[in-house]
Amino acid sequence: PEQWYGVTYREDRDFVKNAISRMKAYRLKELVKHFQLEGKFLKGIGHNSGHINDTFVIEVLNLEGRIKRYIFQRINTKIFNNPEKLMENIEKITTHIGKKVEALGGDPLRETLTIVKTLDGKNFYVDEDNEVWRMYHYIEGAKTYMKVEKPEHMYKTGKALGKFQKQLSDFPVEDLYDTLPNFHNTAMRFENFKRALENNRAGRVDLVRDEIQFILSREKDTRVLIDLLEKGKLPLRVTHNDTKFNNIMIDEATDEGIAVIDLDTVMGGLSLYDFGDSMRSGATTALEDEEDLSKVNFSMELFEEYTRGFLETAGDTLNKEELDHLAFSAKVITLEQAIRFLGDYLDGDIYYKISKENHNLIRARNQIKLVKDMEANMESMKDIVNKYR
Ligand code: NDG
């Protein structure tokens, strides 16, 4: 929402951000009372990683005197405008995955997200300001990383994503609500970008002519996957659609990727969207908003590790067109992300949360650098895929 407790969001971000966290920290205790917590509230800690929702870790003291944790989130309803359907999707797929985990003797509380319901049995709570909140059990003994720390992480998260896609491969895609229609329709993202250019809402077009040109000259790439989907050559599957490296929880003891989280965008999509987005965010030597482009390189080693893991668990479910386009998908999803970041910069930073000046532009340049690297390495990337398919 533009309006936070009477303060306009865009006036002074830092001031507003701090005010919001103070306000929320104060209110967390009241808010979580509406959920089926197993214990007494101790504290809530802000968790600043996503670009969309606000996340907190809640600690309670349970009856045995032990600390139990929960993930508590304010859903950004400006983007996810039907929280009821969104949460229904999440409930359906986590139940589906949970059953599979249980059948194999695993622990669903560790291997997928589990919704904590409200006292009246609902999947979310709407507060007096119309803010929407939801809660999950915290997955203990595992963590997420903003950046890959060792190549093994890539192999293991690749395996985890492949497994996730496989677990959902028998879930009927038509049973899922299309939370964000055309989310990865890169051609449509390109059209929106052209509109942002024409509108020039923030008056920034002249500042970024080179970046704009880079994107405009790659129009053809933006249509490849969507055309193959429309022709029926690429199958519509249940996919995650936001497989950033930090959306896979890694076991602290074994480094295995144990659970895929942030399930807001799980809906019909292409397997390639998930593979490509993992490469964009994982097979890189820097964070997504690293400003010093000399530090931003696409890593062939990490690409290989992930591809090896992913094909090990999902390889046999993919068709020829999917396998043929794996390497390309890494490039096109990175290009799509550059389009989105630069588009948001041109619109005046209205979609992604930003925490510094030109944040979206910095992110866009970072993604463009990766696209360039991938273009230079495309043949070797295809060779790697061929080695493991
Ligand atoms: C957010 C976006 C994701 C994007 C990522 C970039 C939504 C719902 O930020 O698409 O790739 O870091 O727009 N999620 O997670």
Side-chain angles (χ1 to χ4, degrees), residues 8-26:
T8 305
Y9 193 54
R10 278 198 236 151
E11 269 170 17
D12 175 341
R13 274 170 201 278
D14 279 342
F15 165 75
V16 176
K17 229 171 62 192
N18 295 336
I20 291 165
S21 15
R22 276 200 301 276
M23 187 82 74
K24 280 192 203 148
Y26 166 75

Side-chain angles (χ1 to χ4, degrees), residues 291-313:
E291 250 174 279
D292 179 353
L293 294 184
S294 70
K295 294 191 184 140
V296 183
N297 297 299
F298 184 67
S299 162
M300 292 297 281
E301 184 193 10
L302 297 180
F303 176 77
E304 174 153 6
E305 282 303 283
Y306 197 93
T307 305
R308 183 164 74 88
F310 180 72
L311 289 180
E312 201 173 296
T313 47

Side-chain angles (χ1 to χ4, degrees), residues 99-118:
K99 279 189 192 146
K100 295 207 163 173
V101 169
E102 234 170 339
L104 293 171
D107 178 3
L109 284 176
R110 279 205 96 214
E111 294 181 41
T112 185
L113 287 174
T114 308
I115 297 173
V116 177
K117 302 245 176 187
T118 62

Side-chain angles (χ1 to χ4, degrees), residues 214-388:
F214 182 89
I215 287 169
L216 292 181
S217 63
R218 281 159 183 77
E219 175 169 14
K220 233 173 74 200
D221 289 335
T222 66
R223 281 199 233 102
V224 175
L225 298 184
I226 200 77
D227 280 357
L228 289 167
L229 173 67
E230 276 161 13
K231 286 188 193 131
K233 292 191 169 165
L234 289 173
L236 190 70
R237 300 180 184 273
V238 177
T239 51
H240 184 281
N241 298 301
D242 191 359
T243 50
K244 272 162 102 155
F245 182 65
N246 66 354
N247 276 337
I248 299 198
M249 299 222 48
I250 297 180
D251 189 298
E252 282 171 28
T254 63
D255 276 340
E256 291 295 336
I258 52 164
V260 182
I261 58 168
D262 192 352
L263 304 172
D264 293 333
T265 50
V266 174
M267 55 190 163
L270 298 181
S271 172
L272 294 173
Y273 296 155
D274 286 358
F275 179 83
D277 200 39
S278 307
M279 293 304 129
R280 172 190 84 73
S281 62
T284 163
T285 53
L287 288 174
E288 185 182 76
D289 59 357
E290 173 59 58
E291 250 174 279
D292 179 353
L293 294 184
S294 70
K295 294 191 184 140
V296 183
N297 297 299
F298 184 67
S299 162
M300 292 297 281
E301 184 193 10
L302 297 180
F303 176 77
E304 174 153 6
E305 282 303 283
Y306 197 93
T307 305
R308 183 164 74 88
F310 180 72
L311 289 180
E312 201 173 296
T313 47
D316 59 353
T317 58
L318 303 178
N319 76 13
K320 182 175 177 305
E321 292 288 342
E322 288 175 309
L323 292 164
D324 284 349
H325 287 85
L326 279 177
F328 174 77
S329 76
K331 172 192 150 174
V332 82
I333 295 300
T334 312
L335 175 66
E336 178 185 288
Q337 193 64 63
I339 293 175
R340 292 177 64 194
F341 282 147
L342 196 63
D344 197 32
Y345 173 77
L346 295 178
D347 282 341
D349 310 311
I350 52 176
Y351 186 90
Y352 292 108
K353 281 193 243 171
I354 57 166
S355 52
K356 56 181 164 190
E357 219 186 316
N358 294 336
H359 209 159
N360 276 314
L361 174 59
I362 292 165
R363 290 168 175 151
R365 287 184 171 143
N366 177 305
Q367 303 294 293
I368 287 175
K369 170 65 174 45
L370 291 177
V371 172
K372 287 181 181 162
D373 282 2
M374 289 189 236
E375 286 180 346
N377 283 296
M378 192 47 69
E379 288 315 307
S380 321
M381 288 164 70
K382 287 183 184 158
D383 289 344
I384 289 174
V385 172
N386 288 336
K387 184 165 152 196
Y388 296 104

